[in-house]
Amino acid sequence: MIRLGVPSKGRLMEQTFDWFAARGVTLSRSGSDREYAGQVQGAEGVSLVLLSAGEIPRELAAGRIELGVTGTDLVREKLAGWRSDVAEIAPMGFGHADLILAVPECWRDCEDLDDFASIARDFRAAHGFRLRIATKYHRLVRAWLAHHEVADYQLVDSQGATEGTVANQTAEAVADITSSGETLRANNLKILGAEPILQSQATLFAHRAALGDVRPFLAQLGVAS
Ligand SMILES: Nc1ncnc2c1ncn2[C@@H]1O[C@H](COP(=O)(O)OP(=O)(O)OP(=O)(O)O)[C@@H](O)[C@H]1O
Ligand SMILES: O=P(O)(O)OC[C@H]1O[C@H](OP(=O)(O)OP(=O)(O)O)[C@H](O)[C@@H]1O
């Protein structure tokens, strides 16, 4: 049996269902919206597992599901050396979002990463603690800042409503996902850097050791492995 892990709620779930339906495979939730069991029609030997998008990377890496749909951001963040356990099969064309670093709009002297690095350097002397960046993307943000030689900061864990941390004075900057930019604008934050830390979209992944087993199903879907 091929276990297919799909986000259990929201637009990501609906758009995933649409993506499979367009390829002749009907995914559906059995019972109520609160029941996390599902059904697959139009494919033999495939079962549906509804999971939190954030848990799908770990389940894929462990081989508890053979196929899974989630954002590329979550796979890269949650799995060190993700390529050894997980294979990227097909970008799905939705769930586009950029992981970015943002600071208050009113920081007029901070327009790029060089400005940010020097503000961070001076911050500790002025305030007695390192400049705080709120994020749930610890691995990706650390790697990106190290690559850009920004060292004088601390990460503050934020699992939701991250853009609010600046107004709440629990962080000076945020690193979070944006798509329309509305949340950043509403919280008076501006993006730093010409390029995002990462460009993400919903993607079909496979447990690498199961690639042989899933190949016929992928061929039915019209995607190459
Ligand atoms: N505003 C957005 N627009 C497009 N994609 C987004 C947006 N916010 C998050 N995403 C993407 O959706 C995926 C799921 O994000 P997130 O972990 O926040 O979802 P969630 O539904 O809160 O998950 P969980 O069930 O784990 O709480 C991620 O890959 C992320 O990049
Ligand atoms: O650029 P925008 O279109 O405004 O989208 C960005 C927002 O969407 C996500 O939050 P989500 O709604 O998933 O809630 P969360 O804060 O609980 O993560 C993300 O964390 C941003 O807050």
Side-chain angles (χ1 to χ4, degrees), residues 70-142:
T70 192
T72 43
D73 56 338
L74 296 176
V75 166
R76 283 160 178 72
E77 172 60 28
K78 302 228 174 212
L79 305 176
W82 63 275
R83 280 189 182 84
S84 60
D85 296 323
V86 167
E88 207 169 80
I89 302 296
M92 299 170 85
F94 56 85
H96 290 279
D98 288 350
L99 176 61
I100 54 80
L101 176 68
V103 297
E105 257 163 18
C106 61
W107 285 19
R108 298 275 168 235
D109 53 351
C110 189
E111 294 299 343
D112 56 28
L113 264 182
D114 288 340
D115 296 338
F116 184 77
S118 81
I119 289 171
R121 264 196 306 275
D122 297 341
F123 190 92
R124 192 174 189 183
H127 296 89
F129 60 91
R130 285 173 194 257
L131 184 148
R132 297 165 297 180
I133 305 173
T135 191
K136 65 175 170 185
Y137 294 92
H138 296 229
R139 187 195 308 279
L140 293 173
V141 173
R142 275 192 205 291

Side-chain angles (χ1 to χ4, degrees), residues 8-9 12 52-55 70-74 95-97 136-137 177-179 200:
S8 57
K9 61 182 169 74
L12 218 47
S52 148
E55 284 172 13
T70 192
T72 43
D73 56 338
L74 296 176
H96 290 279
K136 65 175 170 185
Y137 294 92
I177 283 290
T178 182
S179 54
S200 179

Side-chain angles (χ1 to χ4, degrees), residues 136 159-163 176-184:
K136 65 175 170 185
Q159 294 293 325
T162 304
E163 293 84 350
D176 199 13
I177 283 290
T178 182
S179 54
S180 69
E182 265 175 51
T183 311
L184 290 171

